[in-house]
Amino acid sequence: MSAVKAFLIEPLTGTIRPVTINRESSYVDIKAQLECDMIDIVRLECGHDIIVDDNGLEETLPCLTEVTGAPTPLAGNLLFTKSDKMGELVDVTEDIETAASRFTVVRPVLHPVIGVSERPGMVAVDLMRIAISLDRSAPKVVAAAEA
């Protein structure tokens, strides 16, 4: 059984880690890694690809991932892979830190503005409004998950 090295980006946890994909069952392995039913491929330079959930962009998302060289932000788990001139999967040769620097996870951060009103014998607290900002950060490198 031959396997290739890839990197799995998990935006919800803000991590990137090495994974292997079995060449003989690559479609099944990829769908399992991405936790999806259908995939799409975003082609980058030098044979690098990002494999994504084809239905990842939903109406409500907890976060997005911006990718250097990709035309739009992506949603859901992402697989950073490499393919040869024939389109077959091969090992990613970049180190994981270099690969991680291509990705920026974008998350909303909520800042509640609380109003306090005091009356004799009573203190009332109200949520006045919520300010929203965006946190942008590269995924953190973690070791491969144990089987």
Side-chain angles (χ1 to χ4, degrees), residues 15-72:
T15 59
I16 182 173
R17 63 183 168 91
V19 295
T20 56
I21 300 169
N22 180 342
R23 287 182 204 227
E24 287 77 29
S25 60
S26 61
Y27 187 64
V28 172
D29 283 3
I30 289 168
K31 290 191 319 178
Q33 295 280 1
L34 296 179
E35 300 173 7
C36 70
D37 295 320
M38 297 173 52
I39 63 170
D40 201 356
I41 299 174
V42 177
R43 303 275 183 209
L44 302 175
E45 77 292 335
C46 302
H48 291 109
D49 302 315
I50 301 170
I51 304 175
V52 302
D53 178 353
D54 190 47
N55 298 315
L57 286 174
E58 301 171 350
E59 288 185 28
T60 57
L61 298 167
C63 59
L64 292 170
T65 305
E66 297 173 330
V67 183
T68 303
T72 61

